[in-house]
Amino acid sequence: QVQLQESGPGLVKPSETLSLTCIVSGGSISSYHWSWIRQPPGKGLEWIGYIYGSGTTNYNPSLKSRVTMSVDTSKNQFSLKLSSVTAADTAVYYCARVLGSGTFRAFDVWGQGTMVTVSS
Amino acid sequence: SYELTQPPSVSVSPGQTASITCSGDKLGNKYASWYQQKPGQSPVLVIYQDSKRPSGIPERFSGSNSGNTATLTISRTQAMDEADYYCQAWDSSTVIFGGGTKLTVL
């Protein structure tokens, strides 16, 4: 069964770039869309964007100017970069597999999440 | 931008039926999904495409979607169902989550 594991620094300084990687095991990254979702402490879920195995991307309009996602099929992993971070970007960041296409999307497999704190 | 609205909290007695609503403009014309999240854990998909259950999700969980409201129904509620529940939809190539509902089983 597919498993996801996020990795990356737990502390990022304000104005710098947050970088996270999600390793996909138990399945090929090529045949699905993959997404990043975050959750600030004590708050709800916010979708950041998704990337297909081919590299096609779609970002949340509210974050689009700061987000870059990429995929490395040789390593079966995908990555997130979020630039110019502020304290408002402090959150648990999840990677997830996207279920569906066309008229619906859902997230059927989630990583365990990684906490990222933005602080000097 | 599109918004989904959930009640902040819902309470239910063990063995009874819990209903959690999610409201959005013409939500019935879109597909709704639902996630369960327990403290310190990742969300788990419990309903997708309005009423489909992923493998491993008990039949006690069901969903419906019509008009402006999607509903997650949990029958014969158990203590283990106490969690936060989030609805989610897909609109204009964007994923939207509701604000979440805390289900208390007491």
Side-chain angles (χ1 to χ4, degrees):
Chain A
Q1 90 201 38
V2 173
Q3 293 184 313
L4 308 180
Q5 178 65 58
E6 306 91 346
S7 64
L11 182 63
V12 181
K13 290 183 168 55
S15 80
E16 296 190 344
T17 296
L18 177 161
S19 296
L20 297 174
T21 296
C22 181
I23 297 174
V24 179
S25 59
S28 172
I29 199 171
S30 300
S31 303
Y32 286 89
H33 289 84
W34 305 89
S35 198
W36 289 97
I37 297 159
R38 69 181 183 179
Q39 185 172 36
K43 297 188 178 181
L45 301 168
E46 180 180 31
W47 175 69
I48 299 172
Y50 70 68
I51 186 166
Y52 192 56
S54 63
T56 304
T57 56
N58 185 22
Y59 301 143
N60 185 328
S62 68
L63 297 169
K64 187 174 183 176
S65 63
R66 300 194 292 130
V67 172
T68 302
M69 293 183 185
S70 60
V71 62
D72 186 338
T73 54
S74 67
K75 295 182 179 179
N76 229 37
Q77 65 185 40
F78 60 103
S79 300
L80 167 70
K81 292 188 185 297
L82 181 65
S83 64
S84 306
V85 298
T86 69
D89 296 309
T90 294
V92 175
Y93 285 75
Y94 296 100
C95 57
R97 187 175 75 173
V98 180
L99 175 68
S101 62
T103 57
F104 93 97
R105 302 286 188 279
F107 305 102
D108 66 338
V109 181
W110 294 66
Q112 67 181 26
T114 186
M115 180 68 201
V116 178
T117 301
V118 178
S119 175
S120 55
Chain B
S1 61
Y2 196 80
E3 294 185 356
L4 295 174
T5 301
Q6 299 181 236
S9 63
V10 168
S11 297
V12 64
S13 299
Q16 300 303 303
T17 297
S19 295
I20 301 173
T21 58
C22 175
S23 299
D25 184 48
K26 298 177 182 176
L27 180 56
N29 292 343
K30 311 177 196 304
Y31 283 115
S33 299
W34 291 91
Y35 302 85
Q36 176 194 70
Q37 186 180 33
K38 297 181 180 180
Q41 298 183 18
S42 303
V44 173
L45 179 67
V46 295
I47 294 288
Y48 67 98
Q49 272 189 299
D50 294 342
S51 60
K52 296 181 179 179
R53 279 180 293 105
S55 174
I57 301 302
E59 292 183 8
R60 302 185 294 103
F61 289 82
S62 62
S64 62
N65 185 14
S66 179
N68 295 322
T69 304
T71 303
L72 173 68
T73 302
I74 308 173
S75 304
R76 302 180 301 284
T77 306
Q78 302 177 6
M80 65 185 296
D81 300 328
E82 186 162 288
D84 293 328
Y85 290 85
Y86 293 90
C87 62
Q88 174 253 309
W90 169 252
D91 175 77
S92 301
S93 299
T94 301
V95 172
I96 305 100
F97 286 101
T101 298
K102 181 175 181 57
L103 177 67
T104 301
V105 182
L106 41 67

